[in-house]
Amino acid sequence: MSTNTATFKIDRNKDFKISLGVSIAALLIGAIGIFQMFVMHYHGALTSYVPWGLLVGAYIYMIWIEVGTILAFIILYYGMKMKSLEKLTPVVLIAAISALAAAMTLVGTKLGHPFRAWKVFLEPSFSSVMIWEIWTHILFIFLLLGMLYATIKNKHVLMKRLSFISVPIGIVFISLVGALFGVVAARPFWNVSVMPLMFFIASIVAGVALLILIHLLFSPTKGTQAYTKTAEKLTRTFIGAISIGIIAALGNAIIIAFPNVPAYDEALQLVLFGPYWWTTWIIHIGIGIIIPLALLFFFSQNLKAVGTAAVCYLIGFSMVPVNIIIPGLAYPMSGMEGIEEAFNHAKLSFEYTPALVEWLVVIFAVGLALFIFTLGYRYILQPYFERTLNQ
């Protein structure tokens, strides 16, 4: 396998300034959307029938990245003994924390009264799946911060213990996010028993894709035999992960389509042949599956091709949560057929297209993630690399 790829090293010079500049620009542009939501109380093109849209989809995408990257890393490093990943530990943690910041920003915009969040802790309803999801996420956040501290301070035993604890907590957390949809009996498109498993598999595959990029761009072992061998192992893992993801998705589609339930069929028709069919066929399947598999099968010895495959997968994968959420809402519930014609109002519609304010908030969240990662890499990780490599 050739190593003809550039290592992205953020330092005081060009790369650091470009990355910082892009992140600040995204924050400034996206701040317009944050202002519109919190000050002007404009929440986009959502309706009473479609109360969740782009922002909730982007939130799920970010937590898939957050949890999946950590789980994939721990499984490969500790479980499959891929010891060459050790030097990437702090980079993976900073990447996960950056995705976490973006996720919390996105979900924060969906809280009608964000300053009442304390009620989750002091007045919880334990019959709510969301309560358990929030609590496990908070626990996972503390585990991430603890692992970063243990890594920077070279506390290997503590790091290993926290890693082992984070695996079941991460699996439970991401499964609970899937259960938030799976337990909604009124929405047949979501109400399938495999939804928690689908969310877990989706997060792992996304995590492997990001892990490949982290290795190709940031590994301090670039130019060594270990760097090349690690890239080869990650490539094979990525092919296997995508294959498992495809099988799981097809299985889920069969479960939805086979019973021939009208509500199932209508949602599936929206995903495959509705107004936004191109998000499924062109972005998700075309860019996110066909192109990566073609690159991985035919150009697996070229690291640029492998990196491009990972980027394409992450781009295509961004459509998955959106195409879970919106089609599950964009049709009348059973027994309420014809309700759209019975009441006429702009906010009583099953049609939804993300408004500019929603895209601006997504830009802000992505800019925040890039800003945290850029500063974290420059002021935390680079000194760590310089110190450890010289030992």
Side-chain angles (χ1 to χ4, degrees):
M1 179 177 287
S2 63
T3 56
N4 54 344
T5 187
T7 300
F8 180 68
K9 182 180 180 182
I10 300 180
D11 54 23
R12 293 186 178 91
N13 300 316
K14 184 178 179 181
D15 291 331
F16 173 72
K17 292 178 180 178
I18 291 175
S19 184
L20 189 62
V22 170
S23 65
I24 292 175
L27 287 171
L28 292 175
I29 294 171
I32 299 172
I34 297 294
F35 175 81
Q36 288 180 300
M37 281 201 166
F38 284 101
V39 178
M40 301 177 67
H41 304 291
Y42 177 52
H43 291 272
L46 299 174
T47 70
S48 296
Y49 300 142
V50 188
W52 288 355
L54 176 66
L55 297 182
V56 174
Y59 162 71
I60 292 173
Y61 179 78
M62 286 298 178
I63 60 175
W64 279 350
I65 294 293
E66 171 199 343
V67 179
T69 305
I70 294 297
L71 293 181
F73 172 80
I74 293 173
I75 292 170
L76 291 172
Y77 178 60
Y78 290 108
M80 300 180 66
K81 308 299 182 182
M82 201 178 294
K83 297 301 182 181
S84 54
L85 293 175
E86 181 179 7
K87 295 297 183 183
L88 288 177
T89 304
V91 188
V92 171
L93 290 167
I94 288 291
I97 291 170
S98 300
L100 160 68
M104 298 307 289
T105 300
L106 290 162
V107 77
T109 63
K110 300 306 299 172
L111 298 177
H113 295 281
F115 297 108
R116 295 181 185 175
W118 58 269
K119 289 179 175 290
V120 171
F121 306 102
L122 299 183
E123 300 178 10
S125 173
F126 293 109
S127 62
S128 170
V129 175
M130 187 173 290
I131 288 294
W132 293 103
E133 182 259 336
I134 293 172
W135 281 24
T136 53
H137 196 184
I138 291 172
L139 179 56
F140 192 76
I141 291 170
F142 282 111
L143 287 170
L144 284 180
L145 296 174
M147 286 190 287
L148 181 60
Y149 168 80
T151 300
I152 298 300
K153 297 297 184 180
N154 292 319
K155 297 181 180 294
H156 302 293
V157 175
L158 176 60
M159 172 61 191
K160 188 174 183 179
R161 289 174 179 173
L162 292 176
S163 296
F164 288 171
I165 295 172
S166 69
V167 171
I169 297 300
I171 293 173
V172 169
F173 165 56
I174 207 68
S175 299
L176 284 171
V177 177
L180 283 175
F181 297 88
V183 299
V184 183
R187 296 294 176 181
F189 186 61
W190 296 344
N191 188 220
V192 289
S193 58
V194 298
M195 191 64 78
L197 179 61
M198 286 297 302
F199 272 51
F200 169 66
I201 293 173
S203 68
I204 290 292
V205 183
V208 173
L210 185 59
L211 195 57
I212 286 177
L213 289 179
I214 289 173
H215 173 71
L216 294 179
L217 297 176
F218 301 103
S219 176
T221 64
K222 184 184 183 297
T224 67
Q225 189 176 11
Y227 176 85
T228 303
K229 287 186 176 180
T230 300
E232 291 174 343
K233 291 178 181 178
L234 289 173
T235 299
R236 292 193 294 268
T237 303
F238 192 29
I239 294 173
I242 293 178
S243 301
I244 293 173
I246 292 173
I247 294 170
L250 289 175
N252 190 43
I254 291 172
I255 291 173
I256 292 173
F258 188 77
N260 198 28
V261 176
Y264 284 0
D265 295 340
E266 190 166 354
L268 199 58
Q269 286 288 328
L270 284 173
V271 173
L272 299 178
F273 309 110
Y276 301 103
W277 60 268
W278 51 273
T279 63
T280 297
W281 294 103
I282 297 178
I283 300 181
H284 179 204
I285 296 177
I287 297 176
I289 295 177
I290 295 176
I291 291 178
L293 286 178
L295 290 171
L296 293 172
F297 275 114
F298 297 108
F299 303 98
S300 61
Q301 300 300 309
N302 188 303
L303 295 190
K304 285 184 178 179
V306 172
T308 301
V311 171
C312 288
Y313 181 84
L314 290 171
I315 291 173
F317 185 72
S318 66
M319 292 294 103
V320 176
V322 176
N323 279 330
I324 289 174
I325 293 170
I326 298 173
L329 296 168
Y331 63 90
M333 291 185 290
S334 177
M336 298 185 68
E337 294 82 359
I339 190 172
E340 188 176 11
E341 290 75 25
F343 300 94
N344 296 312
H345 190 276
K347 287 296 183 181
L348 295 175
S349 172
F350 289 99
E351 296 182 2
Y352 166 78
T353 300
L356 177 60
V357 63
E358 295 171 80
W359 287 110
L360 289 173
V361 172
V362 171
I363 290 172
F364 181 89
V366 173
L368 179 62
L370 180 59
F371 182 77
I372 292 173
F373 183 83
T374 301
L375 294 183
Y377 190 93
R378 172 63 188 87
Y379 295 108
I380 298 177
L381 303 184
Q382 250 192 276
Y384 168 81
F385 285 150
E386 293 170 359
R387 183 175 69 253
T388 56
L389 290 177
N390 291 329
Q391 289 178 351

